[in-house]
């Protein structure tokens, strides 16, 4: 069987977009964490920005909660795919890098940084930009990848190098850009952000993740079928061995 074409921000037939695969399987835990962090605060009218919005899945999920959402991504292809998928037209899409999102400062109640901290070469610039976008007392939510032996095996090995499970192009992730929680929290303080907590999340099992990834590479399942196969769940009491979410407040 021929290897699939791996291409980020693409919906071409026969292509596996590992970035979108990740967004699809993370969607439920991302939205659940947002509602947990807000503690029942009415979401209608909350002004939110998604940094690293990709094809807009998370942004549309937040809009579905009643938020007024702007999605920012550096890829014109991703932004166009997001617009095509947005039947309701509820989200504003912008093309800009996370280090320089080009949005009004102090205009947002919530900034969600997705697919960003483990990608950027300039974490401080991203944190500074996110902080400036928030009103005083506003909330930044993020998800990212810890730097552990297991996370290296999965993100640097399985997702980028191993033939049977590779869904990302080489260099998408590097060990230096994987962010331990304590290191990330420390970097936030220099930009007027106070980290308030983190929460691990993980698939039903490692075997389920591997099986689903191999099936997607082989074209036996679609992106939409992946969440039920992998079943990512929040694990607030567990150590963040691979991926974790967190939230911070703008001082």
């Amino acid at each position: 069987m021929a290897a699939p074409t791996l291409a980020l921000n693409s919906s071409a037939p026969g292509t596996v977009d590992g970035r979108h695969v990740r967004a699809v399987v993370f969607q439920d835990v991302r939205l659940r964490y947002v509602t947990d962090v807000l503690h029942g605060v009415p979401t209608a009218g909350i002004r939110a920005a998604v940094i690293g919005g990709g094809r807009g899945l998370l942004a549309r999920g937040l809009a579905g909660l009643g938020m007024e959402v702007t999605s920012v991504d550096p890829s014109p292809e991703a932004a166009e795919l997001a617009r095509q998928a947005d039947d309701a037209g509820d989200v504003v899409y912008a093309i800009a890098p996370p280090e320089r999102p080009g949005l009004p400062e102090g205009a947002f109640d919530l900034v969600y940084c997705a697919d960003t901290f483990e990608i950027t070469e300039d974490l401080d610039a991203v944190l500074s930009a996110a902080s400036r976008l928030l009103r005083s007392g506003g909330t930044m939510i993020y998800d990212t990848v810890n730097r552990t032996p297991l996370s290296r095996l999965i993100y640097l090995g399985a997702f980028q190098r191993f033939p049977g499970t590779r869904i990302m192009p080489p260099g998408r992730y590097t060990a230096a850009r994987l962010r331990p929680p304590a290191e990330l929290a420390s970097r936030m303080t220099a930009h007027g952000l106070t980290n308030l907590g983190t929460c691990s999340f993980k698939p039903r099992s490692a075997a389920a993740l591997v099986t689903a990834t191999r099936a997607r590479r082989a074209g036996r399942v679609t992106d939409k079928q992946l969440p039920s196969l992998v079943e990512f769940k929040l694990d607030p009491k567990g150590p963040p061995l691979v991926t974790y979410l967190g939230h911070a407040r703008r001082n």
Side-chain angles (χ1 to χ4, degrees), residues 26-44 46 48 58 60-67 110 112 139-142 199 234 245-247:
F26 285 5
Q27 177 77 345
D28 288 347
V29 290
R30 283 171 165 172
L31 292 177
R32 173 64 184 274
Y33 188 72
V34 168
T35 57
D36 286 353
V37 166
L38 294 178
H39 294 301
V41 172
T43 53
I46 286 179
L58 176 58
R60 293 192 296 276
L62 296 179
L65 297 176
M67 299 185 190
L110 172 68
Y112 194 121
T139 299
M140 180 181 75
I141 296 179
Y142 59 89
C199 177
L234 296 178
L245 297 119
H247 66 288

Side-chain angles (χ1 to χ4, degrees), residues 25-95:
V25 298
F26 285 5
Q27 177 77 345
D28 288 347
V29 290
R30 283 171 165 172
L31 292 177
R32 173 64 184 274
Y33 188 72
V34 168
T35 57
D36 286 353
V37 166
L38 294 178
H39 294 301
V41 172
T43 53
I46 286 179
R47 298 163 298 171
V50 178
I51 306 301
R55 297 196 201 180
L57 187 62
L58 176 58
R60 293 192 296 276
L62 296 179
L65 297 176
M67 299 185 190
E68 300 172 4
V69 187
T70 300
S71 178
V72 183
D73 197 85
S75 167
E77 294 81 8
E80 180 57 29
L81 288 169
R83 293 187 186 98
Q84 292 173 11
D86 191 358
D87 295 332
D90 289 335
V91 177
V92 175
Y93 299 98
I95 302 168

Side-chain angles (χ1 to χ4, degrees), residues 25-26 28-30 144 150 154-155 199-209 227 229-245:
V25 298
F26 285 5
D28 288 347
V29 290
R30 283 171 165 172
T144 194
L150 183 57
I154 293 174
Y155 274 82
C199 177
S200 174
F201 64 102
K202 61 184 182 181
R204 181 177 72 245
S205 68
L209 179 62
L229 298 175
V230 180
E231 291 185 352
F232 267 95
K233 302 290 185 183
L234 296 178
D235 185 22
K237 295 183 179 180
L241 296 178
V242 183
T243 50
Y244 65 99
L245 297 119

Side-chain angles (χ1 to χ4, degrees), residues 200-223:
S200 174
F201 64 102
K202 61 184 182 181
R204 181 177 72 245
S205 68
L209 179 62
V210 171
T211 299
T213 303
R214 290 175 65 90
R216 181 64 190 89
R217 271 185 57 92
R220 296 193 299 269
V221 300
T222 65
D223 290 342

